[in-house]
Amino acid sequence: MKILAFETSCDETSIACLEVNKKKLNIPSFTISSQIKLHAKWGGVVPELAARQHTINIIPLLQETLQQAKWKPKDIDLLAVTSGPGLVTSLHVGVATAKALAAAWQKPLIGVNHIAGHLVSPFVNPNNWSWAFKKTIWPAVALVVSGGHTELYKMKSINQWQLLGKTLDDAVGEAFDKVGKMLQLPYPGGPKVSKLAVLGNDKAFAYPRPMLKTKDYNFSFAGLKTAVLYSLNKFDKQKIDQKIKSDICASFQTAALDVLITKTLKAAQANKAKTVIISGGVSANQALRQKMNAVLKKEIPNINILWPDLNVTGDNAAMIGLAAAVSTNFKISKKLSNNWQNINANANWELWN
Ligand code: KG4
Ligand code: ZN
């Protein structure tokens, strides 16, 4: 089936053309227009500006994406759009655009949960796609780590998930971004904090590992973020040099990763997982990749570990199109005709409800 997918849940406008069935995945075009530069001046995403920029970007990006794929509207079998969770003003732009196209072109439309997209993102690669239906990889335990989410799921198949635990306060990406802001690093802080961490000593500051030993699979990062703030306040502002900043980044990153890795390992062991999937913006973090791989391979020698390619760790429409395809089981049922009337933005849509 040929799918045209849209993602506008935060600050990336993204559109993808996918041709997919159970055996084969082809992505003839895939575009992302990032707004990072626009929001960097404000130190974070400004919802009104994000929505305005999506509105400016989305139609030219649609024309470019269709042209690259050499697709005409008549070629498309299904439209897909992220309808939640996310910033409501941003979601509305993608949802309204996809609904208008579905009504005008008379195409079925599916509203996709953004987290369902992140969960399938390691398969957004024609070479990995065949893995998705191999019985030998399921059940899996999946860790989603992004700017808005930190969640652990058990997956029985590519389209069946069950929540094991989630953050009770800040998401881990949000904590990275806030530490970046405290250290006056440009937005988004995550990639910059991880870069500085490479140069620092991760034992320089004894930060807490919140909820490391609790029996559940929940997380908490607000206390860790506050511990970083307190340690920073002890210094005379003029004296906070590159060495102190790097040590703070390294110590913070190691504390955060320790919790993520310990809980993921515990969940994988308890659920007899054959595979661990890690996805979301923070899955681009190289220290997380190295440490998670080392710990999992040591403790569960036969485990498969799946990471998204670096072009799909962040928000993108290719993962949304793939999640839509999987949800249909690759057939367009009659109940999808005129389905655009049922699709609305839902900023708080929880995958587990
Ligand atoms: O998935 P994503 O693009 O958007 C959401 O759905 O939230 O994730 C963005 C988050 C931001 O908090 C960003 O700082 C973080 O992912 N991030 C990183 C790295 N690259 C992106 N955090 C730590 N290390 C990185 N290398
Ligand atoms: Zn995301």
Side-chain angles (χ1 to χ4, degrees):
M1 64 169 50
K2 287 185 169 175
I3 303 179
L4 176 67
F6 296 85
E7 154 67 40
T8 66
S9 69
C10 189
D11 59 346
E12 326 274 357
T13 323
S14 178
I15 304 180
C17 292
L18 287 89
E19 197 173 353
V20 60
N21 60 33
K22 247 186 176 175
K23 294 204 175 116
K24 216 172 154 200
L25 170 66
N26 180 24
I27 307 177
S29 70
F30 169 29
T31 52
I32 302 179
S33 170
S34 171
Q35 304 178 5
I36 282 185
K37 278 196 192 136
L38 174 73
H39 299 289
K41 315 193 254 251
W42 307 97
V45 178
V46 183
E48 285 300 320
L49 289 183
R52 191 191 305 177
Q53 201 58 36
H54 284 308
T55 311
I56 294 169
N57 290 346
I58 198 159
I59 298 298
L61 202 64
L62 172 64
Q63 289 173 324
E64 182 189 326
T65 313
L66 288 176
Q67 260 163 26
Q68 268 181 29
K70 300 193 169 63
W71 280 15
K72 298 262 181 299
K74 68 170 171 42
D75 301 324
I76 298 163
D77 299 309
L78 177 69
L79 300 177
V81 64
T82 305
S83 53
L87 297 174
V88 72
T89 45
S90 290
L91 288 166
H92 274 309
V93 180
V95 168
T97 305
K99 282 175 82 163
L101 293 173
W105 293 344
Q106 300 193 342
K107 303 283 178 188
L109 170 65
I110 293 185
V112 176
N113 184 295
H114 182 77
I115 303 303
H118 278 305
L119 287 174
V120 302
S121 63
F123 300 98
V124 179
N125 175 325
N127 300 322
N128 298 348
W129 177 232
S130 63
W131 278 77
F133 297 97
K134 279 190 185 151
K135 290 222 166 69
T136 49
I137 75 160
W138 307 106
V141 157
L143 174 72
V144 180
V145 274
S146 73
H149 298 265
T150 305
E151 284 145 25
L152 264 171
Y153 292 89
K154 179 179 182 181
M155 294 176 74
K156 280 200 211 149
S157 73
I158 192 160
N159 197 32
Q160 283 177 289
W161 46 74
Q162 175 199 335
L163 183 77
L164 297 174
K166 63 184 174 70
T167 183
L168 303 179
D169 42 57
D170 291 358
V172 66
E174 192 180 347
F176 266 93
D177 292 343
K178 285 181 179 160
V179 168
K181 211 168 185 178
M182 288 175 212
L183 298 174
Q184 291 171 333
L185 303 174
Y187 173 84
K192 275 90 186 175
V193 167
S194 70
K195 246 189 188 167
L196 271 185
V198 176
L199 311 171
N201 168 11
D202 69 357
K203 296 187 178 61
F205 295 88
Y207 292 139
R209 270 71 172 153
M211 299 187 73
L212 184 73
K213 298 214 163 85
T214 57
K215 288 213 167 76
D216 53 33
Y217 298 113
N218 292 330
F219 301 92
S220 162
F221 292 100
L224 173 57
K225 175 192 71 186
T226 310
V228 172
L229 184 64
Y230 285 160
S231 69
L232 202 55
N233 285 345
K234 287 191 186 137
F235 290 97
D236 180 346
K237 271 212 173 94
Q238 318 298 325
K239 292 202 176 124
I240 302 174
D241 57 13
Q242 206 66 358
K243 163 92 177 76
I244 294 172
K245 284 189 182 183
S246 311
D247 286 350
I248 289 178
C249 289
S251 304
F252 159 77
Q253 178 172 273
T254 297
L257 300 193
D258 272 358
V259 185
L260 294 175
I261 293 167
T262 304
K263 294 235 159 165
T264 305
L265 170 65
K266 215 174 90 180
Q269 287 170 325
N271 290 283
K272 299 194 170 42
K274 294 187 184 131
T275 302
V276 170
I277 289 171
I278 306 99
S279 63
V282 183
S283 72
N285 185 292
Q286 290 305 317
L288 174 63
R289 290 190 176 218
Q290 281 156 17
K291 287 187 186 179
M292 183 75 90
N293 285 343
V295 170
L296 290 176
K297 279 184 188 148
K298 178 165 175 272
E299 300 297 330
I300 319 176
N302 295 325
I303 198 90
N304 305 299
I305 310 169
L306 300 181
W307 299 87
D309 290 347
L310 289 177
N311 63 336
V312 289
T313 51
D315 295 344
N316 69 87
M319 68 183 191
I320 300 303
L322 202 60
V326 161
S327 77
T328 65
N329 205 16
F330 311 98
K331 284 189 288 282
I332 309 282
S333 69
K334 277 218 175 84
K335 67 172 196 258
L336 283 179
S337 62
N338 274 328
N339 194 42
W340 61 267
Q341 299 180 35
N342 304 321
I343 311 296
N344 286 304
N346 178 356
N348 302 315
W349 182 11
E350 289 168 334
L351 185 58
W352 53 93
N353 279 331

